[in-house]
C-alpha cells in the first residue's frame, strides 16, 4: 500500500461544476500537507498548503482530518484552466525528513 | 529570472552511456532535491541536499551520483544508463530541511530517453 493514496481519476466535469478530491495518508507522524498542481508536461507547482483548521484560497478549499488521515481539495466554479493533475503531498520527519507525493488526480474541465 | 533551472531540457542517449543533468537555483534556498517521474507520472524523491550535505538518499542505484559544488547547484550524474532510467527528472529547492513546512520550487524537468 502506498503511503499517500489518491484516486487517479480522471474526473471529467463541466465548467462551473464543483469537484472534490480526497487523499489518504498512512503514516500518523505526517506533519505538513500540501496540494500541488501539475500541468501536462510541466513541473509541479504549489497550489496551497493544508492547515488543520482548513483553509480557503478563492475557489479552492483544503481540509485536513488528522483523525482519519485524509486531506481534501474542493474546487468551486470550475474553469477550463483548472484542467491539470492535482498532487497530494505529505511530509514527515521520522527516520529522516521525507516528502511523499501522491500519484495525482487528473481533472478535465469541459466547456 | 528563472528560479530553478535545469539543463538540458531533453536528453536522448544510448544504453551504457554516462550523462549529467545540471540544476541551479537563484532563490537562496539551502535545500535542493532530485525527483524522478516515471511513465506512470509517479513523482519519487531520489536525493536531497542541505547546504551541500546529502540528507536524503532513497533506494537509488549507485549509478546515480549527485554532486553539489555549492548550495545553489545540485547536479546529477548517471553512469551506464539503462532503458529503465527513461523518465523526467525534476530538480527542486526549498527554504528548509526539517518538517517540510515550506514550498518546494521545481525546475522545468529534464526528459531523459534511453534507447
Amino acid at each position: 500500500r502506498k503511503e499517500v493514496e489518491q484516486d487517479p481519476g480522471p474526473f471529467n466535469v463541466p465548467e462551473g461544476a464543483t469537484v472534490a478530491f480526497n487523499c489518504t495518508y498512512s503514516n500518523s507522524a505526517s506533519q505538513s500537507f500540501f496540494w500541488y498542481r501539475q500541468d501536462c508536461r510541466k513541473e509541479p507547482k504549489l497550489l496551497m498548503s493544508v492547515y488543520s483548521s482548513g483553509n480557503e484560497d478563492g475557489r479552492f478549499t483544503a481540509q485536513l482530518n488528522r483523525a482519519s488521515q485524509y486531506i481534501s481539495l474542493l474546487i468551486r466554479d470550475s474553469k477550463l484552466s483548472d484542467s491539470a493533475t492535482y498532487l497530494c503531498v505529505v511530509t514527515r520527519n521520522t527516520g529522516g525528513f521525507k516528502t511523499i507525493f501522491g500519484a495525482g488526480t487528473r481533472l478535465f474541465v469541459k466547456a | 529570472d528563472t528560479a530553478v533551472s535545469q539543463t538540458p531540457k531533453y536528453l536522448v542517449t544510448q544504453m551504457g552511456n554516462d550523462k549529467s543533468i545540471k540544476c541551479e537555483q537563484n532563490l537562496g534556498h539551502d535545500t535542493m532535491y532530485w525527483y524522478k517521474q516515471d511513465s506512470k507520472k509517479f513523482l519519487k524523491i531520489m536525493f536531497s541536499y542541505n547546504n551541500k550535505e546529502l540528507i536524503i538518499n532513497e533506494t537509488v542505484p549507485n549509478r546515480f551520483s549527485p554532486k553539489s559544488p555549492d548550495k545553489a547547484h545540485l547536479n546529477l550524474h548517471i553512469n551506464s544508463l539503462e532503458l529503465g532510467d527513461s523518465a523526467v527528472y525534476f530538480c527542486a529547492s526549498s527554504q528548509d530541511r526539517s518538517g517540510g513546512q515550506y514550498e518546494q520550487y521545481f525546475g522545468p524537468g529534464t526528459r531523459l530517453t534511453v534507447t
Side-chain angles (χ1 to χ4, degrees):
Chain A
R1 184 189 169 199
K2 293 188 175 66
E3 187 168 345
V4 177
E5 298 224 53
Q6 297 181 247
D7 180 345
F11 285 64
N12 293 288
V13 303
E15 268 188 297
T18 295
V19 62
F21 307 137
N22 286 331
C23 166
T24 58
Y25 61 95
S26 59
N27 194 318
S28 60
S30 299
Q31 293 177 291
S32 299
F33 309 89
F34 308 88
W35 284 102
Y36 277 70
R37 170 193 169 131
Q38 186 172 22
D39 292 301
C40 189
R41 300 178 80 86
K42 297 285 189 180
E43 70 273 22
K45 291 185 179 178
L46 180 69
L47 178 66
M48 57 198 303
S49 302
V50 186
Y51 303 120
S52 297
S53 53
N55 48 300
E56 189 173 305
D57 182 2
R59 298 181 293 108
F60 300 84
T61 301
Q63 299 274 0
L64 166 63
N65 185 320
R66 283 191 185 269
S68 302
Q69 296 184 195
Y70 81 78
I71 307 144
S72 65
L73 177 68
L74 183 77
I75 306 175
R76 290 181 298 279
D77 189 23
S78 299
K79 312 288 184 195
L80 294 176
S81 57
D82 294 334
S83 297
T85 297
Y86 290 84
L87 304 168
C88 173
V89 181
V90 171
T91 70
R92 56 176 168 82
N93 197 6
T94 52
F97 163 61
K98 282 198 172 184
T99 302
I100 303 104
F101 279 74
T105 298
R106 295 197 72 187
L107 172 66
F108 293 101
V109 181
K110 307 166 295 184
Chain B
D1 277 279
T2 305
V4 182
S5 59
Q6 293 178 230
T7 54
K9 193 165 182 181
Y10 298 95
L11 185 52
V12 180
T13 188
Q14 291 183 325
M15 283 175 58
N17 285 349
D18 303 338
K19 291 292 178 186
S20 291
I21 308 171
K22 295 186 176 182
C23 178
E24 176 181 1
Q25 54 95 4
N26 62 6
L27 297 165
H29 289 164
D30 286 337
T31 305
M32 295 184 72
Y33 312 81
W34 275 110
Y35 287 88
K36 178 180 180 181
Q37 189 168 43
D38 60 26
S39 57
K40 294 183 179 176
K41 307 300 182 189
F42 195 58
L43 196 67
K44 191 167 182 184
I45 192 165
M46 300 172 69
F47 301 102
S48 174
Y49 269 71
N50 177 262
N51 220 357
K52 302 197 299 174
E53 177 192 344
L54 180 66
I55 56 170
I56 293 175
N57 183 349
E58 292 296 305
T59 308
V60 176
N62 58 14
R63 298 182 295 104
F64 291 78
S65 51
K67 285 187 172 48
S68 182
D70 55 62
K71 72 174 195 177
H73 295 83
L74 181 62
N75 304 323
L76 184 65
H77 188 76
I78 316 169
N79 289 327
S80 303
L81 278 154
E82 300 177 357
L83 292 176
D85 297 333
S86 296
V88 181
Y89 292 83
F90 287 102
C91 176
S93 73
S94 70
Q95 191 171 336
D96 78 326
R97 62 172 286 183
S98 60
Q101 297 173 17
Y102 295 98
E103 174 182 3
Q104 291 189 26
Y105 292 80
F106 284 78
T110 295
R111 188 170 295 272
L112 171 65
T113 304
V114 183
T115 62

